[in-house]
Amino acid sequence: MVARATPRGARFGLGSARRMMLPLLSRQPRTLRARPITFLNQILAATGARMVISSSWRLEGDCRSQLIEAGVTDRFHSDWATDADGPSRGDEIARWLGVHRANSYVVLDDWPHGLEKHRIQHMRTDFRIGLTAADVGTVIGLLIGAQQRADPGNIAPTFSQ
C-alpha cells in the first residue's frame, strides 16, 4: 500500500511485471506498529512483491531506512517512489505503473480520495488499525487475480505460511 501507524502509499509488485500499491506510512506522529508490519512482511514473502512509496514520506527524503528500521522487509523497487507531479496521487501512481509497464498491483490506503482510477485494485484499510490478518489474504488475492488477468498463461506462485 494500513493504519495511520503504518506506512501509507507504498506499492509493491509480484515478479518483474506485477506491482502493488501499499500504504505503509503514518501521519503524525510518524510511528509504525509492529503487527501491521508483520502482515505486510507476510504479503511480501508470499508474493515476492516490491514496494514503491507514494505517500508524503517520499517527499521527506529516503524514508526506506525508517521503514527497514521499524521492521519492514527491504523489498523496495529500484525506482522506489512515485513522482509528486499530480494532479492527484492516483495520477502519480498511474504514471509510475505506465513507465514500469506494471500490470499487477494493489494500492493499500486508508484514504480513497484521488485513487478512483485504481478502485478495483485499491484495498482500503482502517486508519485506526492498519493492515490486518484478514487483509493479507485479500491483498494476495488481488495481486494474483490482477496477474492472471494480465497473463492468463502465467502460473500463480505457491504460498507457504
Side-chain angles (χ1 to χ4, degrees):
M1 353 117 243
V2 176
R4 301 274 177 215
T6 58
R8 291 184 53 186
R11 287 174 272 151
F12 2 12
L14 292 175
S16 61
R18 296 172 268 179
R19 299 289 174 263
M20 178 166 139
M21 316 302 184
L22 186 69
L24 302 176
L25 303 179
S26 68
R27 293 190 179 171
Q28 300 298 333
R30 295 199 185 238
T31 57
L32 299 169
R33 294 182 186 162
R35 212 160 146 77
I37 288 172
T38 298
F39 299 137
L40 171 59
N41 288 338
Q42 288 175 358
I43 294 166
L44 293 170
T47 64
R50 298 261 178 214
M51 294 181 287
V52 177
I53 308 295
S54 68
S55 74
S56 62
W57 276 41
R58 75 190 190 281
L59 307 175
E60 299 172 15
D62 188 346
C63 63
R64 295 175 296 179
S65 60
Q66 294 172 34
L67 293 169
I68 293 167
E69 187 176 307
V72 174
T73 302
D74 186 1
R75 300 267 319 150
F76 293 93
H77 188 278
S78 59
D79 184 12
W80 64 271
T82 62
D83 66 51
D85 298 336
S88 73
R89 196 159 54 94
D91 293 313
E92 295 163 358
I93 291 168
R95 274 193 301 276
W96 191 97
L97 291 167
V99 165
H100 295 283
R101 297 181 177 202
N103 55 20
S104 177
Y105 70 99
V106 171
V107 178
L108 294 175
D109 207 325
D110 62 359
W111 183 250
H113 181 70
L115 299 175
E116 294 80 8
K117 62 178 67 173
H118 304 285
R119 182 179 40 86
I120 294 172
Q121 293 305 116
H122 177 210
M123 171 69 201
R124 186 170 182 184
T125 59
D126 184 327
F127 76 91
R128 296 163 295 201
I129 300 168
L131 195 60
T132 67
D135 295 336
V136 171
T138 302
V139 171
I140 291 171
L142 285 169
L143 283 168
I144 298 305
Q147 178 58 29
Q148 289 174 340
R149 285 189 301 277
D151 183 7
N154 189 29
I155 299 173
T158 303
F159 302 108
S160 60
Q161 298 289 334

